[in-house]
Amino acid sequence: INSQVQTSSDGSNWKRVAIVSSSVRAGWNTVLFQTSAAASLIYTKNIRIVLDPTKTSSSTSTMVVGMQEIRVTGVAGATGSTSNCAVIAPLSNTGGELPVDTCSDNQQACTDITGAAVLSYTQTNIPIVTAIEPPSATIGGGISITLFGTFPASLNNTADILLDGAVCSLLSRSTTSVICLLAARPADGDHTTRINFPGVGQALIQTDTLFTFGFRWSSISAWGVAGTGVPAQGSDVTVPANTTIILDVAPPELRDITILGRLVAMERLDGVSQYSITCRRVIVPTGGEFLIGSPVAAFRKRFTIILTGSIDDVPSGAIGQQHKWFGSSVIGVQGGSVKFYGTGTSSYSAPLATTVYPGQYTFNISAAVSWAVGESIVIGSTSFDQTESESGAIASNFIDTSGGSSRTVITLTSPFKYTHIAGVDTTFSGASSIDYSATIALVSRNIVIRRDLRNRRAAGCSIVSFPNLLSGGDLEESSLILSNVQLSQCGQDVSTTSDDVYNNPVTAIRSRGANRVLVSGVAVYDSSSRGVHFEDMEGGTIENTIVYDSTGHGIVIEGHSSNNRIAGSVVFNSRQGATQDPFAANFYLSHPAVLVVDNLAGGSSHAGFWLNFKAVVAGGGWGGRSPNVALTLLFYNRGRA
């Protein structure tokens, strides 16, 4: 609004042909160029939309531009302001759309056609926002907001920005980011993101994570909508729909958390370095969001989620049904969204540079890695016994460049128990060399999910994602993104979950059905069941993931699954289960339509890569023959032990 549509034949001299009034609406708007019968035909080469100069001195000087698509209808083909084309259809004055005709439809009347008409455009002075960090702020404001994207150099360097109705005072700007200080807003956001730049208009938002204002968990105002006070120890908590709660404190130990709105973990600026939630389970149904960090700004502090559900805990009612689906110690996603972004590392795994022997504390890696003191590593077996993989904590490290190349020297807090070999075998005539060096992997992450270590009857812990079955029979997808997250002492044994074995989790991370899932840079450590399990999935990704010491298969893709990808992942010591997976594999695939690239099988009780392809048979079960589907790709995967 408050803009003009102008045309020009030379790109320098512009003529106003229309004014965009405040009556503009969402959806298609027709702007008629003709202002009278005599001016119904307009020859032009250039069209632009600019701020109405008559509005610059008034209070309505802001031009709001939020265009998604522009459609030009009329005639194309004349090469001069005076055309030999006798028949030119004017724009409809009723708002109807006309086809883009050319003079080639009437060759006798048109002698100046030079070729097919081409419509090109340039876009200027329209900010494009691809990410907002953080994605939520308290209604009191007072925090810095960073907008990432593309910003024209002509932006005002001093004017304040309006972010979802609140003033955001500009602190700094570049062509790729804008930083501003957010002021207070009187009410909670409505999950609608609008960003206005003075003199330019409304920015184009190209991010799925919308900005919202919310309430601090510690504030009584946050729970007024729910009609409760600040949650006390042992209580059940519900984040109301269309409400954002910002986790600014470590709540007391809770029972169940149900997220119908948005729960956001935000890093505090007062030096607090550790955050935590302790509860039996977290359920995220349709409309709910649980966010820690973002794709452009990972969570940098330590965040621990402790799940305390017990094998004796079988609640009734609606929670009982969720227990049947998810288990008793779980983050369960059913139509909602869970997105955790921890801090990554330059290398998730690396080969051992020199052989180490029992009693040694120090080892070398032939690369510079950024693994920190206090973090944990695991090293795979290089013997005939896959259980000779082991773990340790880093006591010290440094980068050694004395030999002309960088290598990392790491000392552990306790000595190695077994020999781990480093070397390359070149004795096979005519064959490529074989690197049989032990692989070392980092399993520490700053976002940690673990079971309750105080309770001997704790049911482990799981993250489970299922689609939501709508009343019409359609499935509503869940969204699960785990980036640089650690799961310790997780998984759930079959005997500790519900009687419905087909539906229970029996894994540390499980996704089934129509979901959007990314598991990236994740470490699953000491799991009492499978590590990562995709079932009936399409388009899921498991990458740079470490699974160490799992009971059952390490990484599984089975069922009606297709177009999934496993890349750059390492699995050590997959142990046989008593009832599930008595023949455990590091990687178990029962459908061939999967991309498996650059992974390492580091020892199991049965197989490294088990390609047990099956076909659907009558009744929806699985038969013993492979389906007629080509194996997508199995490339550069390796095995040890």
Side-chain angles (χ1 to χ4, degrees), residues 245-579:
I245 303 294
I246 297 173
L247 195 65
D248 63 323
V249 296
E253 184 171 334
L254 304 169
R255 283 167 53 87
D256 298 321
I257 300 176
T258 303
I259 304 174
L260 303 178
R262 173 186 279 187
L263 181 61
V264 181
M266 182 177 293
E267 294 185 27
R268 290 165 55 177
L269 304 179
D270 56 3
V272 174
S273 60
Q274 297 195 31
Y275 304 75
S276 66
I277 291 178
T278 302
C279 63
R280 291 193 308 185
R281 63 178 64 80
V282 180
I283 303 298
V284 189
T286 298
E289 294 180 279
F290 189 6
L291 308 178
I292 303 177
S294 73
V296 295
F299 198 83
R300 295 167 296 177
K301 306 296 180 64
R302 184 175 179 86
F303 196 106
T304 303
I305 299 174
I306 303 173
L307 298 173
T308 62
S310 167
I311 61 176
D312 305 314
D313 172 26
V314 184
S316 59
I319 294 296
Q321 181 62 34
Q322 291 168 347
H323 174 277
K324 179 179 179 180
W325 277 90
F326 294 123
S328 58
S329 189
V330 67
I331 298 175
V333 193
Q334 192 168 18
S337 177
V338 168
K339 299 178 181 179
F340 296 166
Y341 296 92
T343 303
T345 182
S346 57
S347 300
Y348 295 92
S349 63
L352 185 67
T354 56
T355 299
V356 295
Y357 299 94
Q360 285 186 219
Y361 286 80
T362 301
F363 65 92
N364 300 328
I365 296 175
S366 300
V369 298
S370 57
W371 302 349
V373 172
E375 293 184 324
S376 296
I377 59 95
V378 294
I379 184 169
S381 170
T382 52
S383 76
F384 292 104
D385 185 353
Q386 89 274 359
T387 63
E388 290 188 4
S389 59
E390 53 187 311
S391 62
I394 298 176
S396 65
N397 63 0
F398 69 94
I399 307 298
D400 182 6
T401 59
S402 60
S405 60
S406 297
R407 65 171 183 158
T408 305
V409 180
I410 295 178
T411 300
L412 302 179
T413 58
S414 57
F416 287 102
K417 298 178 182 179
Y418 308 107
T419 297
H420 299 279
I421 299 172
V424 178
D425 196 326
T426 59
T427 60
F428 296 95
S429 176
S432 300
S433 60
I434 300 174
D435 185 350
Y436 52 80
S437 301
T439 296
I440 302 170
L442 182 73
V443 292
S444 291
R445 307 290 188 267
N446 65 312
I447 297 178
V448 179
I449 302 167
R450 65 173 176 83
R451 70 174 179 89
D452 184 7
L453 301 179
R454 304 166 301 176
N455 185 359
R456 295 184 63 183
R457 294 182 65 80
C461 55
S462 293
I463 300 179
V464 181
S465 175
F466 293 132
N468 184 33
L469 181 62
L470 302 176
S471 57
D474 294 331
L475 294 178
E476 185 170 34
E477 291 185 341
S478 299
S479 180
L480 176 63
I481 297 178
L482 302 176
S483 177
N484 299 301
V485 176
Q486 172 187 338
L487 287 88
S488 299
Q489 297 87 38
C490 281
Q492 297 186 16
D493 188 87
V494 174
S495 62
T496 68
T497 52
S498 80
D499 293 334
D500 190 347
V501 177
Y502 185 65
N503 286 333
N504 67 37
V506 294
T507 189
I509 301 172
R510 185 189 185 192
S511 183
R512 177 184 174 209
N515 298 297
R516 299 181 297 274
V517 180
L518 169 64
V519 177
S520 177
V522 169
V524 179
Y525 177 59
D526 189 16
S527 174
S528 60
S529 56
R530 294 174 175 178
V532 184
H533 180 187
F534 283 3
E535 181 180 1
D536 299 341
M537 281 284 300
E538 183 172 354
T541 294
I542 303 169
E543 63 183 14
N544 299 321
T545 290
I546 313 298
V547 179
Y548 173 71
D549 207 17
S550 64
T551 301
H553 304 317
I555 293 178
V556 179
I557 294 183
E558 66 178 353
H560 304 266
S561 297
S562 62
N563 301 318
N564 296 291
R565 184 173 72 98
I566 308 173
S569 296
V570 177
V571 181
F572 292 132
N573 193 23
S574 301
R575 307 183 307 270
Q576 67 183 48
T579 55

Side-chain angles (χ1 to χ4, degrees), residues 54-392:
T54 65
K55 304 289 186 179
T56 55
S57 60
S58 69
S59 60
T60 59
S61 60
T62 300
M63 180 178 72
V64 180
V65 178
M67 292 180 294
Q68 194 171 37
E69 189 172 348
I70 299 175
R71 184 176 297 168
V72 180
T73 59
V75 175
T79 60
S81 58
T82 301
S83 175
N84 293 323
C85 190
V87 181
I88 298 180
L91 290 173
S92 169
N93 59 7
T94 62
E97 297 178 8
L98 295 175
V100 180
D101 299 327
T102 67
C103 292
S104 59
D105 294 333
N106 192 341
Q107 290 289 345
Q108 291 182 344
C110 299
T111 59
D112 56 353
I113 298 298
T114 59
V118 177
L119 178 65
S120 61
Y121 72 96
T122 58
Q123 177 177 291
T124 58
N125 292 334
I126 299 177
I128 300 174
V129 177
T130 57
I132 305 171
E133 178 57 36
S136 298
T138 61
I139 59 175
I143 67 169
S144 295
I145 299 291
T146 302
L147 308 177
F148 296 90
T150 303
F151 304 95
S154 58
L155 279 182
N156 193 312
N157 285 321
T158 58
D160 295 336
I161 301 163
L162 289 178
L163 177 56
D164 204 10
V167 173
C168 201
S169 301
L170 187 67
L171 299 177
S172 64
R173 59 173 293 274
S174 69
T175 57
T176 57
S177 66
V178 170
I179 301 176
C180 59
L181 182 64
L182 189 66
R185 186 170 186 240
D188 188 41
D190 60 359
H191 284 230
T192 299
T193 301
R194 300 183 183 90
I195 305 174
N196 290 311
F197 288 82
V200 177
Q202 186 166 309
L204 177 63
I205 309 297
Q206 294 182 338
T207 174
D208 293 333
T209 303
L210 303 180
F211 179 85
T212 57
F213 281 89
F215 300 96
R216 295 183 186 274
W217 181 290
S218 60
S219 169
I220 189 67
S221 302
W223 307 103
V225 179
T228 63
V230 177
Q233 182 171 344
S235 60
D236 292 325
V237 175
T238 297
V239 176
N242 300 319
T243 300
T244 296
I245 303 294
I246 297 173
L247 195 65
D248 63 323
V249 296
E253 184 171 334
L254 304 169
R255 283 167 53 87
D256 298 321
I257 300 176
T258 303
I259 304 174
L260 303 178
R262 173 186 279 187
L263 181 61
V264 181
M266 182 177 293
E267 294 185 27
R268 290 165 55 177
L269 304 179
D270 56 3
V272 174
S273 60
Q274 297 195 31
Y275 304 75
S276 66
I277 291 178
T278 302
C279 63
R280 291 193 308 185
R281 63 178 64 80
V282 180
I283 303 298
V284 189
T286 298
E289 294 180 279
F290 189 6
L291 308 178
I292 303 177
S294 73
V296 295
F299 198 83
R300 295 167 296 177
K301 306 296 180 64
R302 184 175 179 86
F303 196 106
T304 303
I305 299 174
I306 303 173
L307 298 173
T308 62
S310 167
I311 61 176
D312 305 314
D313 172 26
V314 184
S316 59
I319 294 296
Q321 181 62 34
Q322 291 168 347
H323 174 277
K324 179 179 179 180
W325 277 90
F326 294 123
S328 58
S329 189
V330 67
I331 298 175
V333 193
Q334 192 168 18
S337 177
V338 168
K339 299 178 181 179
F340 296 166
Y341 296 92
T343 303
T345 182
S346 57
S347 300
Y348 295 92
S349 63
L352 185 67
T354 56
T355 299
V356 295
Y357 299 94
Q360 285 186 219
Y361 286 80
T362 301
F363 65 92
N364 300 328
I365 296 175
S366 300
V369 298
S370 57
W371 302 349
V373 172
E375 293 184 324
S376 296
I377 59 95
V378 294
I379 184 169
S381 170
T382 52
S383 76
F384 292 104
D385 185 353
Q386 89 274 359
T387 63
E388 290 188 4
S389 59
E390 53 187 311
S391 62

